[in-house]
Amino acid sequence: MSAARISQKGARRVAAGHPWIFRSDVERRPSDEPGVVAVEDHRGKPLGSALWSPASEISLRMLDHDARVIIDAAWWDARIESAIRRRAPVAARANAYRLVHGEGDGLPSLVCDRYDRWLVVQLLSAGLERHRDAILAALVRHCAPNGVLARNDAAVRTREGLPRETTLLMGDVPREIEVEEDGVRFVAAPWEGQKTGAFLDQRENRALVGRVARGRALDCFSYHGSFALHLARGAERVTSLDISAPALERGRANAALNGLANIEFVEADAFEYLRAAERRRDRFETIVVDPPAFAKSRAALSGALRGYKEVNLRAMRLLAPGGMLFTASCSFHLSRSLFHEMLEAAAADSGRRIALRELRGQPLDHPELLTVPETGYLKGALLEAID
Ligand code: SAH
């Protein structure tokens, strides 16, 4: 096996705790097929092992900084076991959560989500794909699932020279899986749903919203209604809004599953609905704004900022005195500080006095590493209209 030799710049990045080495920092490319390769610095000093992706701009992803360690089935098993063990506090409250959050768990380009007795994985690099059997064996050993589905339809696979596909790796995985979080039940759609079938990253925020919900409530980008379900526990009436009719259909089914009759489902564009509600002088005691990623790229950031500011300022105006707004952004390109600035600008234009009650980040099962900004994307804030 030939070692990959990397530039001084690449080695500095690795030493600072980032696992990625870009194509431009690879001074000698290994001749090997994708898989695990040894990495050395520009003087030939061993730096450890990495996943090798010849077609990708992210050519190497560090796995282990100890050059003596062999990346075998036992290595994958131990890393996966420690990721699973870290989730114990979440497992006590929910049966749907992320078991492996890629780089955040020292398992670059691997995602694994648990939905009750089933697992959904994403293998997002060519190097990782070669170790599929060892990864699958470890997951089966530690979770004993009824089935494992690979949602390998993510666009990033193309950049790795990998096909986009959804394939069953083991057992059977149903089209719909009923799961539970903090006493609320909902149905996940592992084969066709967004991400791996549900938005698991908002679990703690849904619980927070459930605790502060009261009066009339509005969930603006509701998807399958998971915020709306938690709102409905504390609020008198909830309006669950989404532009997608099939998403609302699932929301209705979820409400029925929980015996909740106080949610109305409205198919509408959130921007238009908020403008119209403002004209009607509607008021809400509790509002949730959890839009899709408006900034899919850095270039889209300024347009996205206008969108975020508009929905937030309109939601602020609709708050009853003392009302609470939970707002989030899942755009990686919108940094925490830009998110904060956007909320300040929205508050300034809303004409309301808005207090910051809590800033929120990612839950325990989506670890955000300080040295790897790409592991973080979700930001949230709980705001209160003072008068
Ligand atoms: N809050 C959800 C996730 C929201 S995903 C949860 O935690 O599960 C974003 C949702 O916004 C999708 O369901 C999408 O259909 C919807 N959406 C996108 N653009 C919209 C718009 N302009 N108005 C209303 N809904 C929109």
mmCIF file of all heavy atoms in Angstrom, residues 91-120:
data_model
loop_
_atom_site.group_PDB
_atom_site.id
_atom_site.type_symbol
_atom_site.label_atom_id
_atom_site.label_comp_id
_atom_site.label_asym_id
_atom_site.label_seq_id
_atom_site.Cartn_x
_atom_site.Cartn_y
_atom_site.Cartn_z
ATOM 1 N N ALA A 91 -31.444 7.642 24.199
ATOM 2 C CA ALA A 91 -32.159 6.375 24.045
ATOM 3 C C ALA A 91 -33.191 6.169 25.151
ATOM 4 O O ALA A 91 -34.163 5.446 24.975
ATOM 5 C CB ALA A 91 -31.149 5.219 24.031
ATOM 6 N N ALA A 92 -32.971 6.850 26.290
ATOM 7 C CA ALA A 92 -33.917 6.705 27.393
ATOM 8 C C ALA A 92 -35.221 7.466 27.125
ATOM 9 O O ALA A 92 -36.231 7.205 27.767
ATOM 10 C CB ALA A 92 -33.271 7.225 28.688
ATOM 11 N N ARG A 93 -35.183 8.423 26.181
ATOM 12 C CA ARG A 93 -36.352 9.286 25.951
ATOM 13 C C ARG A 93 -36.979 9.123 24.579
ATOM 14 O O ARG A 93 -38.071 9.642 24.313
ATOM 15 C CB ARG A 93 -35.943 10.757 26.092
ATOM 16 C CG ARG A 93 -35.501 11.154 27.462
ATOM 17 C CD ARG A 93 -34.930 12.560 27.460
ATOM 18 N NE ARG A 93 -35.625 13.404 26.499
ATOM 19 C CZ ARG A 93 -35.050 14.395 25.833
ATOM 20 N NH1 ARG A 93 -33.778 14.657 26.005
ATOM 21 N NH2 ARG A 93 -35.750 15.127 24.985
ATOM 22 N N ALA A 94 -36.269 8.481 23.677
ATOM 23 C CA ALA A 94 -36.769 8.398 22.301
ATOM 24 C C ALA A 94 -36.251 7.114 21.660
ATOM 25 O O ALA A 94 -35.202 6.609 22.055
ATOM 26 C CB ALA A 94 -36.283 9.610 21.511
ATOM 27 N N ASN A 95 -36.993 6.615 20.672
ATOM 28 C CA ASN A 95 -36.454 5.454 19.953
ATOM 29 C C ASN A 95 -36.122 5.790 18.498
ATOM 30 O O ASN A 95 -35.974 4.907 17.665
ATOM 31 C CB ASN A 95 -37.376 4.243 20.065
ATOM 32 C CG ASN A 95 -38.721 4.486 19.424
ATOM 33 O OD1 ASN A 95 -38.972 5.553 18.864
ATOM 34 N ND2 ASN A 95 -39.591 3.495 19.499
ATOM 35 N N ALA A 96 -36.022 7.094 18.207
ATOM 36 C CA ALA A 96 -35.531 7.536 16.894
ATOM 37 C C ALA A 96 -34.479 8.596 17.151
ATOM 38 O O ALA A 96 -34.780 9.638 17.734
ATOM 39 C CB ALA A 96 -36.670 8.111 16.065
ATOM 40 N N TYR A 97 -33.269 8.331 16.749
ATOM 41 C CA TYR A 97 -32.182 9.290 16.965
ATOM 42 C C TYR A 97 -30.990 8.879 16.113
ATOM 43 O O TYR A 97 -30.952 7.791 15.529
ATOM 44 C CB TYR A 97 -31.790 9.369 18.449
ATOM 45 C CG TYR A 97 -31.517 8.040 19.106
ATOM 46 C CD1 TYR A 97 -30.241 7.508 19.125
ATOM 47 C CD2 TYR A 97 -32.556 7.310 19.683
ATOM 48 C CE1 TYR A 97 -29.991 6.280 19.709
ATOM 49 C CE2 TYR A 97 -32.313 6.070 20.266
ATOM 50 C CZ TYR A 97 -31.036 5.575 20.275
ATOM 51 O OH TYR A 97 -30.794 4.347 20.845
ATOM 52 N N ARG A 98 -30.015 9.791 16.029
ATOM 53 C CA ARG A 98 -28.827 9.535 15.220
ATOM 54 C C ARG A 98 -27.815 8.730 16.020
ATOM 55 O O ARG A 98 -27.440 9.120 17.125
ATOM 56 C CB ARG A 98 -28.242 10.866 14.751
ATOM 57 C CG ARG A 98 -26.982 10.705 13.932
ATOM 58 C CD ARG A 98 -26.821 11.825 12.950
ATOM 59 N NE ARG A 98 -27.839 11.742 11.913
ATOM 60 C CZ ARG A 98 -27.830 12.466 10.804
ATOM 61 N NH1 ARG A 98 -26.873 13.336 10.580
ATOM 62 N NH2 ARG A 98 -28.770 12.316 9.908
ATOM 63 N N LEU A 99 -27.363 7.625 15.458
ATOM 64 C CA LEU A 99 -26.359 6.791 16.127
ATOM 65 C C LEU A 99 -24.945 7.223 15.754
ATOM 66 O O LEU A 99 -24.033 7.122 16.570
ATOM 67 C CB LEU A 99 -26.531 5.331 15.734
ATOM 68 C CG LEU A 99 -27.737 4.575 16.300
ATOM 69 C CD1 LEU A 99 -27.809 3.195 15.672
ATOM 70 C CD2 LEU A 99 -27.635 4.465 17.805
ATOM 71 N N VAL A 100 -24.788 7.663 14.509
ATOM 72 C CA VAL A 100 -23.464 8.081 14.050
ATOM 73 C C VAL A 100 -23.606 9.367 13.242
ATOM 74 O O VAL A 100 -24.361 9.402 12.267
ATOM 75 C CB VAL A 100 -22.799 6.989 13.165
ATOM 76 C CG1 VAL A 100 -21.449 7.485 12.636
ATOM 77 C CG2 VAL A 100 -22.630 5.677 13.915
ATOM 78 N N HIS A 101 -22.902 10.424 13.669
ATOM 79 C CA HIS A 101 -22.954 11.728 12.993
ATOM 80 C C HIS A 101 -21.594 12.010 12.356
ATOM 81 O O HIS A 101 -20.872 12.918 12.739
ATOM 82 C CB HIS A 101 -23.334 12.806 14.024
ATOM 83 C CG HIS A 101 -23.477 14.193 13.451
ATOM 84 N ND1 HIS A 101 -24.323 14.501 12.418
ATOM 85 C CD2 HIS A 101 -22.879 15.379 13.774
ATOM 86 C CE1 HIS A 101 -24.244 15.798 12.138
ATOM 87 N NE2 HIS A 101 -23.369 16.349 12.941
ATOM 88 N N GLY A 102 -21.194 11.135 11.444
ATOM 89 C CA GLY A 102 -19.998 11.340 10.622
ATOM 90 C C GLY A 102 -18.777 11.808 11.389
ATOM 91 O O GLY A 102 -18.383 11.231 12.413
ATOM 92 N N GLU A 103 -18.191 12.898 10.883
ATOM 93 C CA GLU A 103 -16.971 13.482 11.447
ATOM 94 C C GLU A 103 -17.135 13.769 12.937
ATOM 95 O O GLU A 103 -16.174 13.699 13.699
ATOM 96 C CB GLU A 103 -16.620 14.773 10.689
ATOM 97 C CG GLU A 103 -15.937 14.578 9.339
ATOM 98 C CD GLU A 103 -16.857 14.080 8.226
ATOM 99 O OE1 GLU A 103 -18.043 13.778 8.477
ATOM 100 O OE2 GLU A 103 -16.374 13.962 7.087
ATOM 101 N N GLY A 104 -18.362 14.124 13.357
ATOM 102 C CA GLY A 104 -18.632 14.454 14.759
ATOM 103 C C GLY A 104 -18.385 13.274 15.691
ATOM 104 O O GLY A 104 -18.171 13.448 16.889
ATOM 105 N N ASP A 105 -18.431 12.065 15.135
ATOM 106 C CA ASP A 105 -18.180 10.858 15.923
ATOM 107 C C ASP A 105 -16.889 10.166 15.506
ATOM 108 O O ASP A 105 -16.696 8.977 15.822
ATOM 109 C CB ASP A 105 -19.360 9.887 15.777
ATOM 110 C CG ASP A 105 -20.554 10.344 16.606
ATOM 111 O OD1 ASP A 105 -20.420 10.380 17.843
ATOM 112 O OD2 ASP A 105 -21.601 10.676 16.039
ATOM 113 N N GLY A 106 -16.039 10.871 14.795
ATOM 114 C CA GLY A 106 -14.777 10.260 14.355
ATOM 115 C C GLY A 106 -14.984 9.192 13.294
ATOM 116 O O GLY A 106 -14.132 8.322 13.095
ATOM 117 N N LEU A 107 -16.141 9.244 12.636
ATOM 118 C CA LEU A 107 -16.439 8.288 11.573
ATOM 119 C C LEU A 107 -16.817 9.078 10.311
ATOM 120 O O LEU A 107 -17.987 9.141 9.920
ATOM 121 C CB LEU A 107 -17.577 7.348 12.008
ATOM 122 C CG LEU A 107 -17.188 6.339 13.092
ATOM 123 C CD1 LEU A 107 -18.406 5.840 13.857
ATOM 124 C CD2 LEU A 107 -16.441 5.154 12.466
ATOM 125 N N PRO A 108 -15.798 9.695 9.670
ATOM 126 C CA PRO A 108 -16.063 10.599 8.557
ATOM 127 C C PRO A 108 -16.909 9.956 7.467
ATOM 128 O O PRO A 108 -16.672 8.797 7.103
ATOM 129 C CB PRO A 108 -14.670 10.925 8.015
ATOM 130 C CG PRO A 108 -13.693 10.486 9.028
ATOM 131 C CD PRO A 108 -14.359 9.528 9.936
ATOM 132 N N SER A 109 -17.849 10.728 6.980
ATOM 133 C CA SER A 109 -18.744 10.378 5.860
ATOM 134 C C SER A 109 -19.714 9.232 6.161
ATOM 135 O O SER A 109 -20.359 8.723 5.253
ATOM 136 C CB SER A 109 -17.953 10.112 4.559
ATOM 137 O OG SER A 109 -17.081 9.004 4.691
ATOM 138 N N LEU A 110 -19.855 8.867 7.431
ATOM 139 C CA LEU A 110 -20.845 7.839 7.805
ATOM 140 C C LEU A 110 -21.960 8.453 8.646
ATOM 141 O O LEU A 110 -21.706 9.139 9.634
ATOM 142 C CB LEU A 110 -20.177 6.709 8.608
ATOM 143 C CG LEU A 110 -21.138 5.623 9.133
ATOM 144 C CD1 LEU A 110 -21.810 4.855 7.984
ATOM 145 C CD2 LEU A 110 -20.412 4.637 10.053
ATOM 146 N N VAL A 111 -23.192 8.196 8.209
ATOM 147 C CA VAL A 111 -24.360 8.603 8.993
ATOM 148 C C VAL A 111 -25.179 7.344 9.263
ATOM 149 O O VAL A 111 -25.327 6.490 8.384
ATOM 150 C CB VAL A 111 -25.213 9.631 8.205
ATOM 151 C CG1 VAL A 111 -26.577 9.840 8.867
ATOM 152 C CG2 VAL A 111 -24.466 10.956 8.092
ATOM 153 N N CYS A 112 -25.655 7.213 10.499
ATOM 154 C CA CYS A 112 -26.559 6.108 10.790
ATOM 155 C C CYS A 112 -27.635 6.602 11.753
ATOM 156 O O CYS A 112 -27.320 7.159 12.800
ATOM 157 C CB CYS A 112 -25.799 4.925 11.408
ATOM 158 S SG CYS A 112 -26.923 3.565 11.837
ATOM 159 N N ASP A 113 -28.886 6.445 11.350
ATOM 160 C CA ASP A 113 -30.010 6.838 12.191
ATOM 161 C C ASP A 113 -30.794 5.602 12.596
ATOM 162 O O ASP A 113 -30.977 4.675 11.807
ATOM 163 C CB ASP A 113 -30.936 7.805 11.443
ATOM 164 C CG ASP A 113 -30.289 9.168 11.238
ATOM 165 O OD1 ASP A 113 -29.360 9.510 12.002
ATOM 166 O OD2 ASP A 113 -30.704 9.886 10.314
ATOM 167 N N ARG A 114 -31.261 5.627 13.845
ATOM 168 C CA ARG A 114 -32.081 4.525 14.337
ATOM 169 C C ARG A 114 -33.552 4.938 14.356
ATOM 170 O O ARG A 114 -33.880 6.012 14.852
ATOM 171 C CB ARG A 114 -31.635 4.164 15.759
ATOM 172 C CG ARG A 114 -32.488 3.078 16.360
ATOM 173 C CD ARG A 114 -32.206 2.827 17.830
ATOM 174 N NE ARG A 114 -33.308 2.029 18.352
ATOM 175 C CZ ARG A 114 -33.640 1.918 19.623
ATOM 176 N NH1 ARG A 114 -32.935 2.531 20.538
ATOM 177 N NH2 ARG A 114 -34.668 1.201 19.991
ATOM 178 N N TYR A 115 -34.394 4.105 13.780
ATOM 179 C CA TYR A 115 -35.843 4.260 13.896
ATOM 180 C C TYR A 115 -36.382 2.978 14.513
ATOM 181 O O TYR A 115 -36.548 1.973 13.822
ATOM 182 C CB TYR A 115 -36.480 4.489 12.522
ATOM 183 C CG TYR A 115 -36.076 5.804 11.887
ATOM 184 C CD1 TYR A 115 -35.057 5.856 10.942
ATOM 185 C CD2 TYR A 115 -36.707 6.988 12.236
ATOM 186 C CE1 TYR A 115 -34.681 7.067 10.370
ATOM 187 C CE2 TYR A 115 -36.343 8.197 11.671
ATOM 188 C CZ TYR A 115 -35.330 8.229 10.743
ATOM 189 O OH TYR A 115 -34.955 9.427 10.187
ATOM 190 N N ASP A 116 -36.576 2.997 15.808
ATOM 191 C CA ASP A 116 -37.043 1.820 16.546
ATOM 192 C C ASP A 116 -36.144 0.609 16.241
ATOM 193 O O ASP A 116 -34.955 0.661 16.527
ATOM 194 C CB ASP A 116 -38.523 1.572 16.227
ATOM 195 C CG ASP A 116 -39.156 0.543 17.159
ATOM 196 O OD1 ASP A 116 -38.558 0.266 18.215
ATOM 197 O OD2 ASP A 116 -40.236 0.023 16.842
ATOM 198 N N ARG A 117 -36.657 -0.423 15.619
ATOM 199 C CA ARG A 117 -35.852 -1.631 15.399
ATOM 200 C C ARG A 117 -35.151 -1.647 14.042
ATOM 201 O O ARG A 117 -34.671 -2.677 13.584
ATOM 202 C CB ARG A 117 -36.747 -2.870 15.536
ATOM 203 C CG ARG A 117 -37.105 -3.181 16.990
ATOM 204 C CD ARG A 117 -38.275 -4.148 17.093
ATOM 205 N NE ARG A 117 -39.514 -3.486 16.733
ATOM 206 C CZ ARG A 117 -40.528 -4.055 16.055
ATOM 207 N NH1 ARG A 117 -40.433 -5.298 15.651
ATOM 208 N NH2 ARG A 117 -41.618 -3.379 15.788
ATOM 209 N N TRP A 118 -35.134 -0.480 13.359
ATOM 210 C CA TRP A 118 -34.536 -0.417 12.029
ATOM 211 C C TRP A 118 -33.463 0.669 11.963
ATOM 212 O O TRP A 118 -33.542 1.649 12.698
ATOM 213 C CB TRP A 118 -35.622 -0.154 10.979
ATOM 214 C CG TRP A 118 -36.588 -1.294 10.878
ATOM 215 C CD1 TRP A 118 -36.469 -2.413 10.099
ATOM 216 C CD2 TRP A 118 -37.813 -1.442 11.616
ATOM 217 N NE1 TRP A 118 -37.538 -3.253 10.300
ATOM 218 C CE2 TRP A 118 -38.387 -2.690 11.230
ATOM 219 C CE3 TRP A 118 -38.488 -0.671 12.559
ATOM 220 C CZ2 TRP A 118 -39.580 -3.165 11.750
ATOM 221 C CZ3 TRP A 118 -39.683 -1.137 13.091
ATOM 222 C CH2 TRP A 118 -40.225 -2.377 12.682
ATOM 223 N N LEU A 119 -32.491 0.454 11.079
ATOM 224 C CA LEU A 119 -31.420 1.439 10.912
ATOM 225 C C LEU A 119 -31.414 1.959 9.476
ATOM 226 O O LEU A 119 -31.690 1.203 8.531
ATOM 227 C CB LEU A 119 -30.052 0.819 11.206
ATOM 228 C CG LEU A 119 -29.829 0.209 12.596
ATOM 229 C CD1 LEU A 119 -28.413 -0.374 12.678
ATOM 230 C CD2 LEU A 119 -30.067 1.232 13.697
ATOM 231 N N VAL A 120 -31.097 3.256 9.333
ATOM 232 C CA VAL A 120 -30.917 3.843 8.009
ATOM 233 C C VAL A 120 -29.511 4.433 7.967
ATOM 234 O O VAL A 120 -29.144 5.240 8.828
ATOM 235 C CB VAL A 120 -31.968 4.941 7.721
ATOM 236 C CG1 VAL A 120 -31.789 5.475 6.307
ATOM 237 C CG2 VAL A 120 -33.386 4.397 7.913
#
